[in-house]
Every structure is written in C-alpha cells, then in structure tokens.
Amino acid sequence: MTTARQPGIPHPRLPLPDGPEDLAVFQQWLGEAIPMVNALGIKGMTQQNDALTWELALTPSLNDKGTGFGGALTAQTTLQGWCWVTLWLRAQGISRDVVVAEANQRFLAPVTDDYRLVCTPSQPQGPAKLAAKLDERGKGRIALTQQLYCGQTLCLEANGSYVALPKA
C-alpha cells in the first residue's frame, strides 16, 4: 500500500531500467509520484521512435457541455511532455529532474469521445541538441509538440519547452 504524498517531500525515483522501459510500471510509478495522474483517464502508453502516445478516456475530463474540459486537456499535454523528457533521459541511462519552462495550446475542435495524445519533438534534431547540451552544460532544453486526436480529428495542439536540470 502506498502512503499519501506530503508537500515538500520528494517521491522516490523509479530505478533506471536495465533494458527497454516497462511503460505499465512507469505509469504506476507516475500515479504514485503525481497523485492527480490517477484521475486523468490514461488507459495506456506506448512509445515508437520519438513519439509517446497515450490513450485516454474522456469521462474523467468532461466539462459542463459534455466535451473535454480545457484545463484537464492542458494538464494532460503538459504532463505528457514531462513524461517524454523523463522517459528519453531514462533510455539514455540518465536520472534527472525535469521541469516545464513554458507551455501553450490551441483548441481546434471539441473532444467528444475517448482520444489519443501524441507527443513528439517539435524539431527532428531536438533530442540530439538536448543530448549535446547535457554533455556540454549538464542541463538542456527541448521543445515538444502534443497533438490530441478524437478519431481522425485533430482537436488540440500544444507546444511546450521542457528542461532537464543539472544533477542535484
């Protein structure tokens, strides 16, 4: 049984994987580390190449109009970017703190059913630049794009800048 999180007390880090990341284990840890994750409706995560994809249920994020609540969708995009950087670092064998530096979103269509959220680097050379900055300065930044699809309809596009902080 997990104990409730307390303000000011960091959650223990998930050990770095010896091989490919087990995303189910990562998602379980994420729900313990950030309690609101369990209320976001994340049904599953997959990674392929530079894309992190989440499948989400709409019901936990419904607004008064019966569509996706913008605040919940924004939280999901921000968290997904944080996860993308954290998982990328873990794949490199690096354990670092990650923070969001800035984020914005454009709402393009209402979210009316379960949906998928896809996070990718905003520029193809983004991961290589992040790696170079980490080697050079011990910290680095990457721009990511999150796209929310309800069926084939692009409903939301978000952009964020995330920072991998220096070793503590």
Side-chain angles (χ1 to χ4, degrees):
M1 181 198 262
T2 349
T3 57
R5 293 292 319 279
Q6 298 296 317
I9 299 173
H11 190 71
R13 290 184 189 270
L14 183 64
L16 291 172
D18 288 332
E21 188 79 51
D22 183 335
L23 292 176
V25 170
F26 179 79
Q27 185 175 341
Q28 180 181 354
W29 171 84
L30 187 64
E32 295 167 1
I34 304 172
M36 76 175 273
V37 166
N38 295 319
L40 294 178
I42 303 168
K43 298 191 292 186
M45 299 182 187
T46 57
Q47 275 184 303
Q48 186 173 357
N49 302 320
D50 278 340
L52 174 62
T53 302
W54 289 0
E55 298 293 331
L56 296 110
L58 174 59
T59 305
S61 300
L62 283 173
N63 64 16
D64 59 318
K65 296 159 203 65
T67 60
F69 173 59
L73 304 177
T74 298
Q76 292 165 355
T77 60
T78 302
L79 178 64
Q80 189 186 39
W82 181 92
C83 288
W84 189 99
V85 178
T86 299
L87 289 166
W88 182 87
L89 289 167
R90 291 170 59 76
Q92 316 309 307
I94 301 170
S95 181
R96 295 282 179 86
D97 284 330
V98 175
V99 296
V100 59
E102 59 185 281
N104 62 67
Q105 58 281 327
R106 280 185 325 137
F107 296 90
L108 305 169
V111 178
T112 57
D113 202 350
D114 292 355
Y115 52 98
R116 75 184 179 287
L117 194 53
V118 181
C119 181
T120 56
S122 299
Q123 300 157 345
Q125 68 277 19
K129 286 184 175 183
L130 176 57
K133 286 294 183 188
L134 286 168
D135 285 344
E136 175 187 321
R137 300 181 55 213
K139 65 179 180 176
R141 179 183 293 237
I142 188 167
L144 299 173
T145 299
Q146 298 88 17
Q147 294 180 310
L148 186 155
Y149 292 92
C150 192
Q152 297 303 312
T153 303
L154 177 61
C155 298
L156 167 68
E157 186 166 70
N159 295 286
S161 178
Y162 297 82
V163 178
L165 299 174
K167 289 180 186 175

